[in-house]
Amino acid sequence: MSYQAFVIKYGEIGLKGKNRHLFEDALVHNITANLKNVDGEFRVDREQGRVYVEALSEFDYEGALEALQRVFGIVEICPAVLTEDNGFDQLSDEILSYLDETYSDKNFTFKVLAKRGRKNYPMNSQEINMELGGRILDRFPEMKVDVHTPEKEIHVEIREKISFYSEKFKGLGGMPVGTNGKAMLLLSGGIDSPVAGYMIAKRGVSIDATYFHAPPYTSERAKQKVVDLAKIVARYSGPIRLHVINFTDIQLAIYEKCPHDELTIIMRRYMMYLAEHFAREDGDMGLVTGESIGQVASQTMQSLYCTNEAATMPVFRPLIGFDKQEIIDRSLQIGTYETSILPFEDCCTIFVAKHPVTKPRLDVIKKSEQNLNEVIDDLMKQAIETAETILVEAEDVR
Ligand code: ATP
Ligand code: MG
């Protein structure tokens, strides 16, 4: 069976009034954007709690399905047949030929689930269920009705458009990106932060990003790796404004003037200040990191306490309760893992101490930071002025 359309179902819980419009507008917008890279011409529109994607030309079915499976807010994707209202007899004939073409083996149980969203249709839902069920049994005696746990649900939806479908694919769930404001992701080349970006975007938050690099200690390829990761995250989140910040001089100053076992924490605190500067510029309402409690020395409760204090915006840590393996599984699922494990140097590993403090005290850290008083304002200013901003769009994945 070659489908020409998809019926898109989305979660409606808690969607009322104006929110519902925002949700639906963003969903239609994001679906359209994700289909841009797929071969074919599509029309995306919505009607009474459904979004319809209709192919207006030959199209890449697998590609379209994959693109839809990357849009947050979609709960279910049903390849469907859209048809005109030419009376019930013709509709049932179309459904019978559809079933015949789609299932060469008809030894399965089924149930017809009709929904009449338009009251001027001459039969109600229950009448359609009974009549169509009967015609299916007459035509395909191998098929059996099971109203409780059918193997196939044959849906018929009578709205302004008439559609029918019996196959479904799970969507990602979540909320359409763009419906919940914007946040600044601290994006490194590691496994965790790209997943953190994905998780925050899943709740409808658009993302900007900052990456701290330390040339010549970190290479162009390490930076390219971060851009590549952003391209993958952008498949789900939409375009990302990535600020690449030169962190070398700040790191060198910290290395020179502060106790080495406190380097990582102090560095992290300056990352927070700088990320927040760009967050404010971009209109973001929070920072996002890939931290998870206890994962490494810089992520103990005491360390997180010290890092957090440097920020005035809320800091969101979507992975806070994840085990490393859970984060890896998610990164494999979203496609960032292979890029994350490429072995390029990271600015934090270069200046890292052999024995970092695991229980830093904020008063001690702040005292050490005073050693930077004479230089830090200039260095921060310089880091801000020399930052490079790249607009990263989803790469063409097919
Ligand atoms: P990741 O896998 O995301 O690199 P990690 O396990 O290596 O995380 P850390 O190095 O402690 O953990 O970093 C904690 C968080 O700080 C990261 O998840 C990221 O949000 C932020 N971060 C660390 N290094 C950088 C960097 N060079 N640029 C931007 N953000 C960074
Ligand atoms: Mg890292």
Side-chain angles (χ1 to χ4, degrees):
M1 177 72 203
S2 59
Y3 295 97
Q4 274 299 112
F6 299 92
V7 170
I8 306 293
K9 298 185 181 176
Y10 46 91
E12 294 170 55
I13 301 164
L15 285 180
K16 297 218 171 68
K18 193 163 148 248
N19 285 342
R20 185 190 178 105
H21 271 281
L22 289 176
F23 186 103
E24 291 172 334
D25 287 348
L27 192 59
V28 168
H29 174 271
N30 297 350
I31 288 174
T32 308
N34 267 30
L35 287 170
K36 227 172 42 194
N37 288 334
V38 178
D39 285 341
E41 205 188 316
F42 302 92
R43 179 164 62 211
V44 184
D45 50 18
R46 60 173 218 235
E47 188 201 315
Q48 300 178 356
R50 291 276 185 272
V51 168
Y52 297 91
V53 174
E54 203 177 339
L56 306 173
S57 64
E58 291 281 299
F59 74 111
D60 172 3
Y61 171 81
E62 293 295 330
L65 187 57
E66 277 176 32
L68 294 169
Q69 284 181 301
R70 289 194 298 267
V71 178
F72 292 126
I74 296 181
V75 172
E76 217 168 72
I77 303 152
C78 308
V81 179
L82 289 187
T83 181
E84 306 289 313
D85 184 3
N86 290 314
F88 183 72
D89 284 338
Q90 181 162 337
L91 178 61
S92 355
D93 284 348
E94 283 179 43
I95 294 173
L96 292 173
S97 354
Y98 160 81
L99 292 171
D100 203 18
E101 270 183 60
T102 309
Y103 305 109
S104 49
D105 177 4
K106 296 188 182 59
N107 272 301
F108 56 81
T109 58
F110 77 99
K111 172 185 184 178
V112 177
L113 281 157
K115 257 201 198 119
R116 186 180 62 156
R118 135 161 103 76
K119 297 304 167 201
N120 63 359
Y121 198 76
M123 294 162 79
N124 68 26
S125 305
Q126 195 48 31
E127 287 164 348
I128 299 173
N129 289 342
M130 300 292 290
E131 184 58 33
L132 185 60
R135 292 189 192 192
I136 292 173
L137 289 171
D138 286 345
R139 172 81 182 273
F140 308 117
E142 315 94 287
M143 289 174 63
K144 301 270 176 301
V145 173
D146 179 347
V147 291
H148 300 296
T149 50
E151 287 164 81
K152 297 283 172 202
E153 291 179 346
I154 301 171
H155 293 262
V156 184
E157 298 189 358
I158 316 275
R159 302 171 198 265
E160 282 318 307
K161 293 182 201 290
I162 294 186
S163 61
F164 56 85
Y165 52 91
S166 56
E167 291 296 308
K168 57 185 176 194
F169 296 87
K170 245 176 109 73
L172 287 177
M175 318 265 295
V177 173
T179 55
N180 271 324
K182 234 156 56 105
M184 176 61 78
L185 171 68
L186 282 83
L187 180 62
S188 71
I191 295 171
D192 305 336
S193 43
V195 177
Y198 170 94
M199 296 298 295
I200 200 98
K202 179 164 188 272
R203 299 308 304 163
V205 180
S206 306
I207 50 184
D208 297 307
T210 46
Y211 164 59
F212 297 90
H213 72 154
Y217 303 98
T218 64
S219 62
E220 262 311 290
R221 288 170 74 197
K223 171 179 148 190
Q224 186 56 43
K225 173 181 166 181
V226 173
V227 173
D228 291 343
L229 285 169
K231 281 184 189 168
I232 302 173
V233 175
R235 291 175 192 167
Y236 306 91
S237 69
I240 298 174
R241 264 168 82 81
L242 171 66
H243 304 278
V244 178
I245 300 172
N246 187 330
F247 206 45
T248 314
D249 291 341
I250 294 176
Q251 279 187 301
L252 288 172
I254 300 172
Y255 191 76
E256 199 178 302
K257 296 177 191 293
C258 301
H260 285 188
D261 61 347
E262 295 170 6
L263 289 181
T264 309
I265 298 296
I266 297 175
M267 248 164 51
R268 281 276 184 280
R269 285 171 52 82
Y270 285 106
M271 283 188 183
M272 291 305 216
Y273 291 132
L274 286 167
E276 192 164 293
H277 169 88
F278 287 96
R280 230 175 262 120
E281 252 185 31
D282 288 355
D284 301 321
M285 312 207 65
L287 305 177
V288 183
T289 74
E291 291 157 317
S292 136
I293 292 177
Q295 200 188 81
V296 287
S298 57
Q299 296 175 24
T300 61
M301 282 301 273
Q302 291 84 349
S303 299
L304 290 170
Y305 180 86
C306 291
T307 311
N308 201 74
E309 198 268 349
T312 63
M313 283 189 182
V315 181
F316 300 111
R317 301 179 173 86
L319 309 184
I320 201 72
F322 280 37
D323 295 340
K324 191 73 191 187
Q325 190 57 47
E326 293 174 295
I327 302 172
I328 290 174
D329 290 347
R330 187 53 68 98
S331 76
L332 283 165
Q333 176 219 319
I334 69 179
T336 49
Y337 184 75
E338 296 298 327
T339 305
S340 286
I341 59 171
L342 293 174
F344 302 126
E345 60 297 314
D346 178 81
C347 75
C348 304
T349 46
I350 286 164
F351 296 93
V352 83
K354 281 206 185 68
H355 301 289
V357 279
T358 54
K359 295 183 179 170
R361 277 180 41 190
L362 185 59
D363 53 345
V364 177
I365 296 286
K366 282 190 160 175
K367 189 138 180 286
S368 306
E369 283 177 357
Q370 284 174 8
N371 300 344
L372 298 165
N373 279 351
E374 277 177 22
V375 293
I376 197 67
D377 287 351
D378 280 347
L379 292 177
M380 296 278 274
K381 194 161 160 257
Q382 219 174 8
I384 289 167
E385 281 170 4
T386 58
E388 175 195 3
T389 300
I390 305 170
L391 184 68
V392 181
E393 308 229 22
E395 66 179 15
D396 194 344
V397 279
R398 302 207 107 233

